[in-house]
Amino acid sequence: MRRLIPGVVLVLLVSCGREIVDEQIVMPTEPVETGGGAAGGSVEAKPLSPGWYDVPADKVEYVGTLVVQPTDGRTLRATVMFSSTAPAGDYTVAVAWRGATQLQALGVVRKDQPDLLARLAPPAQVLTQSRCGSSASGVLFVLSGGLSDGVIVGASAGGWVGDFTLDYSECGASTRGDYFVLQRDDRFAHARCLALSGQCVDTSPVRVTRGALRVDDSGLSLESNLGFTDANAAVSLEVNGVPVPDRRTNALPRELFKEGKNRITVRMGQHLPWEANVVLPTGALSPRVSMALSMGKPFSVVFVASPWATDYRVDLYPVDAPWTRANYPSFSSPTSPIEGTFDGFPSGTGGRVTGTRASVRLSATRTDGEFTLSQETSFEAPISP
């Protein structure tokens, strides 16, 4: 969902609606003791398998997505796409008009009746006059239950990337469509406070809902999704307690990492920081193509497989043939070798081209919930006529 953004090291993609990790990630290989221990034998720690460790549990429960359709500015046309696990019952769609002190109900949707068409009628005190009529704007909310006793499960604004307002206009100006995610999140109380008063203090802990750390031939990079942002607080990243100073790219300084667990910390003002650990791969993949690539012929890429990876992928790109806006060949396998048939590269005009060399990129990936670790390496392989 639009609510996963790139930044040295960290492209902080803020997401309010992707799948949520709802349990702590525990990698399969933890340190073990061998020998006699207290009886006088030696104690050896088995090296940790590469991957993410100690990821904080995220208890947010996904409910669905509310989609707002384009209208004439005087009505709300919306559809809720409920998740299969969303509780049954009434869901109240409401709006907090800017300048109002309470929510105004617009209608009710259910799993068997997900569509809503409502005429907008903002209170007179929130209207702004213009040459062709009055206008107003506000924040859309969805409550599980009624307006007075329901629990907020969605808001169109409140600190998420993609925040938007509901705009009303008597002029009949067309409005664009939009959407926001529905989920059970204690932080929606803050969104309601912002919409109705603006005098609010947010003490929610930092939420990272997705992370992807990549190790390749040029170094390391990290991308992540934040569950929310704070307009009054900057976001910073630390590796093993050392701040990453340059956030103009998503590159991470290799010298900040060490053997074993590396602590990743995301800070945002006075919010309780988010912390997890990651162990980097140390062995080389050492890939090679068994023979030159040839149009229409099978090929295989052999490499050193490691138990930590759950998937391997090979992507082929042209070196001396024109690049186009097309999908290039990709092959995957849970282990070595990766086999496929080389059918050349798309020419961009409906045909196929080869060139004399191909760039071969091998990726080894481990995925645990919404957190991934990947190791990539590239090399060139000849293409025979």
Side-chain angles (χ1 to χ4, degrees), residues 175-253:
T175 62
R176 65 185 180 91
D178 227 313
Y179 63 91
F180 58 89
V181 170
L182 308 182
Q183 56 193 21
R184 291 187 175 274
D185 185 348
D186 292 341
R187 194 176 176 276
F188 282 129
H190 178 70
R192 179 173 184 163
C193 176
L194 285 176
L196 293 176
S197 72
Q199 305 300 314
C200 315
V201 177
D202 186 8
T203 59
S204 306
V206 176
R207 283 180 58 224
V208 176
T209 61
R210 180 172 299 181
L213 181 65
R214 183 178 66 195
V215 183
D216 59 25
D217 299 331
S218 62
L220 291 85
S221 62
L222 174 67
E223 294 184 1
S224 68
N225 290 1
L226 287 178
F228 67 91
T229 58
D230 187 335
N232 300 313
V235 178
S236 62
L237 178 73
E238 297 175 3
V239 177
N240 292 319
V242 180
V244 177
D246 185 357
R247 292 184 48 218
R248 291 171 297 179
T249 72
N250 61 345
L252 288 170

Side-chain angles (χ1 to χ4, degrees), residues 2-292:
R2 167 192 48 174
R3 299 187 180 247
L4 163 230
I5 317 185
V8 150
V9 351
L10 181 68
V11 174
L12 290 175
L13 308 186
V14 181
S15 168
C16 172
R18 315 254 181 187
E19 283 191 40
I20 302 299
V21 179
D22 58 5
E23 60 182 7
Q24 185 167 345
I25 296 173
V26 179
M27 302 294 290
T29 306
E30 295 283 1
V32 296
E33 293 185 356
T34 62
S42 62
V43 177
E44 298 179 358
K46 184 177 180 179
L48 290 173
S49 177
W52 287 88
Y53 290 80
D54 314 313
V55 176
D58 193 336
K59 299 301 184 182
V60 171
E61 177 188 352
Y62 177 66
V63 174
T65 302
L66 183 142
V67 180
V68 176
Q69 306 295 338
T71 66
D72 59 1
R74 292 170 292 206
T75 57
L76 170 69
R77 187 185 300 273
T79 298
V80 176
M81 297 182 293
F82 289 99
S83 70
S84 59
T85 58
D90 291 349
Y91 288 81
T92 302
V93 180
V95 58
W97 295 109
R98 183 173 293 124
T101 58
Q102 59 186 7
L103 299 180
Q104 180 190 69
L106 299 177
V108 172
V109 294
R110 305 176 184 87
K111 297 185 76 170
D112 61 351
Q113 187 183 332
D115 300 319
L116 174 67
L117 178 62
R119 191 74 178 172
L120 300 179
Q125 67 269 24
V126 306
L127 295 175
T128 299
Q129 299 301 318
S130 63
R131 289 180 300 174
C132 61
S134 58
S135 62
S137 64
V139 178
L140 270 176
F141 286 87
V142 176
L143 299 88
S144 176
L147 189 63
S148 61
D149 59 354
V151 176
I152 298 176
V153 294
S156 67
W160 296 281
V161 169
D163 280 1
F164 69 93
T165 58
L166 175 67
D167 295 318
Y168 164 78
S169 173
E170 288 182 349
C171 303
S174 61
T175 62
R176 65 185 180 91
D178 227 313
Y179 63 91
F180 58 89
V181 170
L182 308 182
Q183 56 193 21
R184 291 187 175 274
D185 185 348
D186 292 341
R187 194 176 176 276
F188 282 129
H190 178 70
R192 179 173 184 163
C193 176
L194 285 176
L196 293 176
S197 72
Q199 305 300 314
C200 315
V201 177
D202 186 8
T203 59
S204 306
V206 176
R207 283 180 58 224
V208 176
T209 61
R210 180 172 299 181
L213 181 65
R214 183 178 66 195
V215 183
D216 59 25
D217 299 331
S218 62
L220 291 85
S221 62
L222 174 67
E223 294 184 1
S224 68
N225 290 1
L226 287 178
F228 67 91
T229 58
D230 187 335
N232 300 313
V235 178
S236 62
L237 178 73
E238 297 175 3
V239 177
N240 292 319
V242 180
V244 177
D246 185 357
R247 292 184 48 218
R248 291 171 297 179
T249 72
N250 61 345
L252 288 170
R254 179 60 192 245
E255 60 270 18
L256 297 183
F257 289 82
K258 61 184 180 181
E259 184 179 354
K261 285 186 176 182
N262 294 273
R263 187 172 73 256
I264 306 295
T265 306
V266 179
R267 299 186 184 278
M268 183 170 23
Q270 298 302 310
H271 297 264
L272 185 69
W274 180 93
E275 288 191 332
N277 289 289
V278 67
V279 176
L280 302 183
T282 56
L285 295 172
S286 304
R288 61 182 177 84
V289 177
S290 55
M291 61 184 66

